[in-house]
Amino acid sequence: MDRESAERIAIEALGFLASDPERLDRFMALTGLTPDTLRGAAGEPGFLLAVLDHLVSDESLLLTFSANAGQQPEQVLAARDVLAGPNAMGLREG
């Protein structure tokens, strides 16, 4: 999976969260965002990774998103790993 595909999945996941006020409220509560800061945060590096981190941290949420998006859960996990980069777990490129 390339970065563009991973970002596309993360943006779709954000739309999924935003489509349900309860899901969006939980995401904002866990990330410390507010409705006023959400838009600004969306442009920050790492935001899309945070969206996927949130999604994969809750298996039920991950499975619901995957079913709605027509994505395999493994694809969402792969997208998260691409956005995290090779150094996310102390790995080095090369």
Side-chain angles (χ1 to χ4, degrees), residues 52-91:
L52 293 184
D53 277 343
H54 175 72
L55 201 66
V56 302
S57 71
D58 181 331
E59 184 177 10
S60 175
L61 188 63
L62 172 62
L63 294 175
T64 301
F65 168 72
S66 296
N68 286 338
Q71 297 278 347
Q72 294 296 318
E74 296 81 9
Q75 285 297 102
V76 179
L77 293 169
R80 186 248 167 246
D81 290 345
V82 166
L83 294 181
N87 294 322
M89 296 179 67
L91 304 175

mmCIF file of all heavy atoms in Angstrom, residues 52-91:
data_model
loop_
_atom_site.group_PDB
_atom_site.id
_atom_site.type_symbol
_atom_site.label_atom_id
_atom_site.label_comp_id
_atom_site.label_asym_id
_atom_site.label_seq_id
_atom_site.Cartn_x
_atom_site.Cartn_y
_atom_site.Cartn_z
ATOM 1 N N LEU A 52 -6.633 6.811 12.262
ATOM 2 C CA LEU A 52 -6.542 5.359 12.116
ATOM 3 C C LEU A 52 -6.150 4.682 13.420
ATOM 4 O O LEU A 52 -6.618 3.577 13.707
ATOM 5 C CB LEU A 52 -5.580 4.993 10.985
ATOM 6 C CG LEU A 52 -6.061 5.381 9.584
ATOM 7 C CD1 LEU A 52 -5.078 4.894 8.529
ATOM 8 C CD2 LEU A 52 -7.452 4.860 9.301
ATOM 9 N N ASP A 53 -5.311 5.319 14.220
ATOM 10 C CA ASP A 53 -4.986 4.763 15.546
ATOM 11 C C ASP A 53 -6.262 4.593 16.366
ATOM 12 O O ASP A 53 -6.465 3.578 17.023
ATOM 13 C CB ASP A 53 -4.015 5.667 16.302
ATOM 14 C CG ASP A 53 -2.570 5.449 15.929
ATOM 15 O OD1 ASP A 53 -2.242 4.408 15.329
ATOM 16 O OD2 ASP A 53 -1.748 6.329 16.249
ATOM 17 N N HIS A 54 -7.101 5.610 16.319
ATOM 18 C CA HIS A 54 -8.362 5.555 17.057
ATOM 19 C C HIS A 54 -9.231 4.408 16.544
ATOM 20 O O HIS A 54 -9.790 3.641 17.334
ATOM 21 C CB HIS A 54 -9.104 6.882 16.918
ATOM 22 C CG HIS A 54 -10.456 6.887 17.542
ATOM 23 N ND1 HIS A 54 -10.633 6.895 18.905
ATOM 24 C CD2 HIS A 54 -11.695 6.845 16.986
ATOM 25 C CE1 HIS A 54 -11.945 6.866 19.166
ATOM 26 N NE2 HIS A 54 -12.596 6.843 18.028
ATOM 27 N N LEU A 55 -9.308 4.291 15.256
ATOM 28 C CA LEU A 55 -10.144 3.262 14.650
ATOM 29 C C LEU A 55 -9.661 1.855 15.002
ATOM 30 O O LEU A 55 -10.457 1.005 15.390
ATOM 31 C CB LEU A 55 -10.149 3.455 13.137
ATOM 32 C CG LEU A 55 -11.284 2.855 12.351
ATOM 33 C CD1 LEU A 55 -12.597 3.535 12.703
ATOM 34 C CD2 LEU A 55 -11.021 3.001 10.870
ATOM 35 N N VAL A 56 -8.368 1.619 14.892
ATOM 36 C CA VAL A 56 -7.862 0.264 15.128
ATOM 37 C C VAL A 56 -7.781 -0.077 16.613
ATOM 38 O O VAL A 56 -7.632 -1.242 16.963
ATOM 39 C CB VAL A 56 -6.505 0.005 14.424
ATOM 40 C CG1 VAL A 56 -6.627 0.234 12.929
ATOM 41 C CG2 VAL A 56 -5.387 0.824 15.014
ATOM 42 N N SER A 57 -7.901 0.915 17.475
ATOM 43 C CA SER A 57 -7.854 0.640 18.909
ATOM 44 C C SER A 57 -9.167 0.059 19.433
ATOM 45 O O SER A 57 -9.229 -0.407 20.564
ATOM 46 C CB SER A 57 -7.504 1.906 19.692
ATOM 47 O OG SER A 57 -8.596 2.818 19.669
ATOM 48 N N ASP A 58 -10.194 0.085 18.600
ATOM 49 C CA ASP A 58 -11.509 -0.423 18.991
ATOM 50 C C ASP A 58 -11.968 -1.408 17.915
ATOM 51 O O ASP A 58 -12.384 -1.006 16.831
ATOM 52 C CB ASP A 58 -12.486 0.754 19.110
ATOM 53 C CG ASP A 58 -13.881 0.350 19.531
ATOM 54 O OD1 ASP A 58 -14.319 -0.781 19.231
ATOM 55 O OD2 ASP A 58 -14.568 1.204 20.121
ATOM 56 N N GLU A 59 -11.867 -2.702 18.221
ATOM 57 C CA GLU A 59 -12.153 -3.720 17.206
ATOM 58 C C GLU A 59 -13.558 -3.593 16.630
ATOM 59 O O GLU A 59 -13.759 -3.722 15.425
ATOM 60 C CB GLU A 59 -11.960 -5.118 17.792
ATOM 61 C CG GLU A 59 -12.146 -6.213 16.760
ATOM 62 C CD GLU A 59 -11.897 -7.601 17.299
ATOM 63 O OE1 GLU A 59 -11.766 -7.767 18.526
ATOM 64 O OE2 GLU A 59 -11.842 -8.530 16.473
ATOM 65 N N SER A 60 -14.525 -3.311 17.465
ATOM 66 C CA SER A 60 -15.903 -3.164 16.994
ATOM 67 C C SER A 60 -16.019 -2.002 16.006
ATOM 68 O O SER A 60 -16.658 -2.121 14.955
ATOM 69 C CB SER A 60 -16.837 -2.957 18.183
ATOM 70 O OG SER A 60 -18.142 -2.712 17.739
ATOM 71 N N LEU A 61 -15.386 -0.889 16.341
ATOM 72 C CA LEU A 61 -15.392 0.281 15.461
ATOM 73 C C LEU A 61 -14.685 -0.041 14.151
ATOM 74 O O LEU A 61 -15.168 0.309 13.066
ATOM 75 C CB LEU A 61 -14.724 1.459 16.177
ATOM 76 C CG LEU A 61 -14.804 2.817 15.508
ATOM 77 C CD1 LEU A 61 -16.245 3.293 15.397
ATOM 78 C CD2 LEU A 61 -13.975 3.818 16.310
ATOM 79 N N LEU A 62 -13.550 -0.711 14.235
ATOM 80 C CA LEU A 62 -12.790 -1.100 13.045
ATOM 81 C C LEU A 62 -13.630 -1.993 12.134
ATOM 82 O O LEU A 62 -13.684 -1.773 10.921
ATOM 83 C CB LEU A 62 -11.504 -1.822 13.451
ATOM 84 C CG LEU A 62 -10.692 -2.449 12.316
ATOM 85 C CD1 LEU A 62 -10.220 -1.398 11.332
ATOM 86 C CD2 LEU A 62 -9.522 -3.237 12.893
ATOM 87 N N LEU A 63 -14.296 -2.971 12.711
ATOM 88 C CA LEU A 63 -15.098 -3.894 11.910
ATOM 89 C C LEU A 63 -16.304 -3.190 11.284
ATOM 90 O O LEU A 63 -16.651 -3.462 10.130
ATOM 91 C CB LEU A 63 -15.540 -5.087 12.751
ATOM 92 C CG LEU A 63 -14.395 -6.004 13.212
ATOM 93 C CD1 LEU A 63 -14.932 -7.085 14.131
ATOM 94 C CD2 LEU A 63 -13.638 -6.591 12.037
ATOM 95 N N THR A 64 -16.907 -2.274 12.020
ATOM 96 C CA THR A 64 -18.040 -1.521 11.474
ATOM 97 C C THR A 64 -17.587 -0.643 10.318
ATOM 98 O O THR A 64 -18.223 -0.606 9.259
ATOM 99 C CB THR A 64 -18.708 -0.671 12.575
ATOM 100 O OG1 THR A 64 -19.147 -1.536 13.622
ATOM 101 C CG2 THR A 64 -19.893 0.110 12.028
ATOM 102 N N PHE A 65 -16.478 0.076 10.516
ATOM 103 C CA PHE A 65 -15.951 0.909 9.433
ATOM 104 C C PHE A 65 -15.605 0.053 8.219
ATOM 105 O O PHE A 65 -15.975 0.384 7.085
ATOM 106 C CB PHE A 65 -14.709 1.690 9.874
ATOM 107 C CG PHE A 65 -13.982 2.313 8.716
ATOM 108 C CD1 PHE A 65 -14.517 3.397 8.048
ATOM 109 C CD2 PHE A 65 -12.786 1.781 8.260
ATOM 110 C CE1 PHE A 65 -13.872 3.960 6.946
ATOM 111 C CE2 PHE A 65 -12.132 2.330 7.168
ATOM 112 C CZ PHE A 65 -12.672 3.426 6.517
ATOM 113 N N SER A 66 -14.910 -1.044 8.449
ATOM 114 C CA SER A 66 -14.480 -1.908 7.346
ATOM 115 C C SER A 66 -15.673 -2.401 6.540
ATOM 116 O O SER A 66 -15.648 -2.383 5.309
ATOM 117 C CB SER A 66 -13.675 -3.094 7.885
ATOM 118 O OG SER A 66 -12.482 -2.649 8.486
ATOM 119 N N ALA A 67 -16.707 -2.832 7.232
ATOM 120 C CA ALA A 67 -17.905 -3.316 6.546
ATOM 121 C C ALA A 67 -18.568 -2.198 5.746
ATOM 122 O O ALA A 67 -18.972 -2.403 4.589
ATOM 123 C CB ALA A 67 -18.884 -3.903 7.552
ATOM 124 N N ASN A 68 -18.673 -1.019 6.333
ATOM 125 C CA ASN A 68 -19.309 0.114 5.648
ATOM 126 C C ASN A 68 -18.489 0.606 4.463
ATOM 127 O O ASN A 68 -19.051 1.074 3.470
ATOM 128 C CB ASN A 68 -19.538 1.271 6.618
ATOM 129 C CG ASN A 68 -20.671 1.006 7.569
ATOM 130 O OD1 ASN A 68 -21.545 0.197 7.313
ATOM 131 N ND2 ASN A 68 -20.653 1.691 8.705
ATOM 132 N N ALA A 69 -17.161 0.534 4.587
ATOM 133 C CA ALA A 69 -16.285 1.076 3.544
ATOM 134 C C ALA A 69 -15.916 0.040 2.488
ATOM 135 O O ALA A 69 -15.260 0.383 1.502
ATOM 136 C CB ALA A 69 -15.010 1.629 4.192
ATOM 137 N N GLY A 70 -16.285 -1.218 2.727
ATOM 138 C CA GLY A 70 -15.901 -2.255 1.785
ATOM 139 C C GLY A 70 -14.415 -2.537 1.823
ATOM 140 O O GLY A 70 -13.813 -2.916 0.816
ATOM 141 N N GLN A 71 -13.809 -2.319 2.981
ATOM 142 C CA GLN A 71 -12.377 -2.551 3.184
ATOM 143 C C GLN A 71 -12.193 -3.739 4.118
ATOM 144 O O GLN A 71 -12.962 -3.917 5.053
ATOM 145 C CB GLN A 71 -11.716 -1.334 3.855
ATOM 146 C CG GLN A 71 -11.743 -0.080 3.079
ATOM 147 C CD GLN A 71 -10.639 -0.022 2.047
ATOM 148 O OE1 GLN A 71 -9.705 -0.817 2.059
ATOM 149 N NE2 GLN A 71 -10.755 0.915 1.139
ATOM 150 N N GLN A 72 -11.170 -4.499 3.882
ATOM 151 C CA GLN A 72 -10.804 -5.536 4.842
ATOM 152 C C GLN A 72 -10.127 -4.848 6.024
ATOM 153 O O GLN A 72 -9.368 -3.883 5.837
ATOM 154 C CB GLN A 72 -9.836 -6.547 4.210
ATOM 155 C CG GLN A 72 -10.461 -7.360 3.103
ATOM 156 C CD GLN A 72 -11.582 -8.241 3.633
ATOM 157 O OE1 GLN A 72 -11.456 -8.859 4.696
ATOM 158 N NE2 GLN A 72 -12.676 -8.280 2.910
ATOM 159 N N PRO A 73 -10.368 -5.315 7.256
ATOM 160 C CA PRO A 73 -9.691 -4.711 8.410
ATOM 161 C C PRO A 73 -8.172 -4.691 8.252
ATOM 162 O O PRO A 73 -7.514 -3.745 8.689
ATOM 163 C CB PRO A 73 -10.129 -5.596 9.580
ATOM 164 C CG PRO A 73 -11.422 -6.195 9.142
ATOM 165 C CD PRO A 73 -11.309 -6.365 7.651
ATOM 166 N N GLU A 74 -7.638 -5.690 7.589
ATOM 167 C CA GLU A 74 -6.182 -5.754 7.379
ATOM 168 C C GLU A 74 -5.691 -4.588 6.524
ATOM 169 O O GLU A 74 -4.564 -4.118 6.711
ATOM 170 C CB GLU A 74 -5.789 -7.085 6.715
ATOM 171 C CG GLU A 74 -6.068 -8.304 7.565
ATOM 172 C CD GLU A 74 -7.521 -8.794 7.526
ATOM 173 O OE1 GLU A 74 -8.318 -8.302 6.698
ATOM 174 O OE2 GLU A 74 -7.854 -9.666 8.343
ATOM 175 N N GLN A 75 -6.539 -4.124 5.603
ATOM 176 C CA GLN A 75 -6.171 -2.971 4.778
ATOM 177 C C GLN A 75 -6.100 -1.703 5.625
ATOM 178 O O GLN A 75 -5.239 -0.852 5.412
ATOM 179 C CB GLN A 75 -7.164 -2.780 3.632
ATOM 180 C CG GLN A 75 -7.007 -3.780 2.520
ATOM 181 C CD GLN A 75 -5.662 -3.647 1.849
ATOM 182 O OE1 GLN A 75 -4.752 -4.443 2.098
ATOM 183 N NE2 GLN A 75 -5.513 -2.654 1.017
ATOM 184 N N VAL A 76 -7.006 -1.578 6.571
ATOM 185 C CA VAL A 76 -6.996 -0.417 7.464
ATOM 186 C C VAL A 76 -5.736 -0.457 8.328
ATOM 187 O O VAL A 76 -5.073 0.566 8.524
ATOM 188 C CB VAL A 76 -8.275 -0.377 8.320
ATOM 189 C CG1 VAL A 76 -8.255 0.821 9.262
ATOM 190 C CG2 VAL A 76 -9.516 -0.340 7.435
ATOM 191 N N LEU A 77 -5.393 -1.637 8.822
ATOM 192 C CA LEU A 77 -4.168 -1.782 9.614
ATOM 193 C C LEU A 77 -2.941 -1.470 8.776
ATOM 194 O O LEU A 77 -2.009 -0.801 9.251
ATOM 195 C CB LEU A 77 -4.071 -3.197 10.196
ATOM 196 C CG LEU A 77 -5.119 -3.543 11.240
ATOM 197 C CD1 LEU A 77 -5.105 -5.038 11.536
ATOM 198 C CD2 LEU A 77 -4.895 -2.746 12.503
ATOM 199 N N ALA A 78 -2.934 -1.911 7.531
ATOM 200 C CA ALA A 78 -1.812 -1.614 6.641
ATOM 201 C C ALA A 78 -1.702 -0.114 6.387
ATOM 202 O O ALA A 78 -0.602 0.445 6.365
ATOM 203 C CB ALA A 78 -1.963 -2.378 5.327
ATOM 204 N N ALA A 79 -2.842 0.544 6.211
ATOM 205 C CA ALA A 79 -2.843 1.993 6.003
ATOM 206 C C ALA A 79 -2.274 2.696 7.226
ATOM 207 O O ALA A 79 -1.467 3.630 7.109
ATOM 208 C CB ALA A 79 -4.254 2.491 5.718
ATOM 209 N N ARG A 80 -2.659 2.240 8.399
ATOM 210 C CA ARG A 80 -2.138 2.816 9.639
ATOM 211 C C ARG A 80 -0.618 2.663 9.709
ATOM 212 O O ARG A 80 0.108 3.582 10.059
ATOM 213 C CB ARG A 80 -2.812 2.141 10.839
ATOM 214 C CG ARG A 80 -2.451 2.771 12.148
ATOM 215 C CD ARG A 80 -1.594 1.782 12.941
ATOM 216 N NE ARG A 80 -0.995 2.481 14.057
ATOM 217 C CZ ARG A 80 0.308 2.687 14.193
ATOM 218 N NH1 ARG A 80 1.156 2.272 13.292
ATOM 219 N NH2 ARG A 80 0.787 3.334 15.226
ATOM 220 N N ASP A 81 -0.131 1.491 9.331
ATOM 221 C CA ASP A 81 1.308 1.246 9.363
ATOM 222 C C ASP A 81 2.063 2.124 8.369
ATOM 223 O O ASP A 81 3.147 2.627 8.667
ATOM 224 C CB ASP A 81 1.610 -0.226 9.089
ATOM 225 C CG ASP A 81 1.183 -1.135 10.237
ATOM 226 O OD1 ASP A 81 0.908 -0.629 11.356
ATOM 227 O OD2 ASP A 81 1.119 -2.358 10.017
ATOM 228 N N VAL A 82 1.485 2.328 7.194
ATOM 229 C CA VAL A 82 2.120 3.198 6.186
ATOM 230 C C VAL A 82 2.214 4.620 6.722
ATOM 231 O O VAL A 82 3.261 5.270 6.619
ATOM 232 C CB VAL A 82 1.355 3.156 4.850
ATOM 233 C CG1 VAL A 82 1.780 4.286 3.927
ATOM 234 C CG2 VAL A 82 1.546 1.805 4.179
ATOM 235 N N LEU A 83 1.135 5.125 7.313
ATOM 236 C CA LEU A 83 1.148 6.496 7.826
ATOM 237 C C LEU A 83 2.076 6.640 9.021
ATOM 238 O O LEU A 83 2.664 7.698 9.230
ATOM 239 C CB LEU A 83 -0.270 6.936 8.194
ATOM 240 C CG LEU A 83 -1.236 7.071 7.027
ATOM 241 C CD1 LEU A 83 -2.602 7.531 7.515
ATOM 242 C CD2 LEU A 83 -0.704 8.026 5.967
ATOM 243 N N ALA A 84 2.228 5.573 9.807
ATOM 244 C CA ALA A 84 3.130 5.624 10.960
ATOM 245 C C ALA A 84 4.583 5.665 10.509
ATOM 246 O O ALA A 84 5.431 6.252 11.180
ATOM 247 C CB ALA A 84 2.895 4.423 11.871
ATOM 248 N N GLY A 85 4.882 5.050 9.389
ATOM 249 C CA GLY A 85 6.239 5.038 8.868
ATOM 250 C C GLY A 85 7.081 3.952 9.503
ATOM 251 O O GLY A 85 6.706 3.360 10.518
ATOM 252 N N PRO A 86 8.238 3.703 8.918
ATOM 253 C CA PRO A 86 9.087 2.605 9.383
ATOM 254 C C PRO A 86 9.709 2.836 10.755
ATOM 255 O O PRO A 86 10.103 1.889 11.413
ATOM 256 C CB PRO A 86 10.163 2.503 8.301
ATOM 257 C CG PRO A 86 10.209 3.869 7.702
ATOM 258 C CD PRO A 86 8.801 4.392 7.775
ATOM 259 N N ASN A 87 9.803 4.077 11.183
ATOM 260 C CA ASN A 87 10.432 4.356 12.476
ATOM 261 C C ASN A 87 9.447 4.327 13.633
ATOM 262 O O ASN A 87 9.825 4.558 14.773
ATOM 263 C CB ASN A 87 11.146 5.706 12.440
ATOM 264 C CG ASN A 87 12.313 5.661 11.484
ATOM 265 O OD1 ASN A 87 13.015 4.673 11.388
ATOM 266 N ND2 ASN A 87 12.496 6.729 10.734
ATOM 267 N N ALA A 88 8.191 4.008 13.350
ATOM 268 C CA ALA A 88 7.173 4.013 14.397
ATOM 269 C C ALA A 88 7.453 3.005 15.493
ATOM 270 O O ALA A 88 7.107 3.206 16.638
ATOM 271 C CB ALA A 88 5.793 3.756 13.790
ATOM 272 N N MET A 89 8.126 1.919 15.136
ATOM 273 C CA MET A 89 8.428 0.902 16.135
ATOM 274 C C MET A 89 9.937 0.706 16.267
ATOM 275 O O MET A 89 10.412 -0.370 16.594
ATOM 276 C CB MET A 89 7.728 -0.404 15.766
ATOM 277 C CG MET A 89 6.211 -0.248 15.798
ATOM 278 S SD MET A 89 5.334 -1.741 15.360
ATOM 279 C CE MET A 89 5.741 -2.806 16.710
ATOM 280 N N GLY A 90 10.673 1.749 15.964
ATOM 281 C CA GLY A 90 12.112 1.681 16.082
ATOM 282 C C GLY A 90 12.797 1.006 14.913
ATOM 283 O O GLY A 90 13.975 0.684 14.983
ATOM 284 N N LEU A 91 12.083 0.794 13.827
ATOM 285 C CA LEU A 91 12.659 0.175 12.651
ATOM 286 C C LEU A 91 13.337 1.231 11.803
ATOM 287 O O LEU A 91 12.945 2.374 11.781
ATOM 288 C CB LEU A 91 11.573 -0.535 11.843
ATOM 289 C CG LEU A 91 10.765 -1.589 12.596
ATOM 290 C CD1 LEU A 91 9.656 -2.123 11.699
ATOM 291 C CD2 LEU A 91 11.648 -2.724 13.063
#
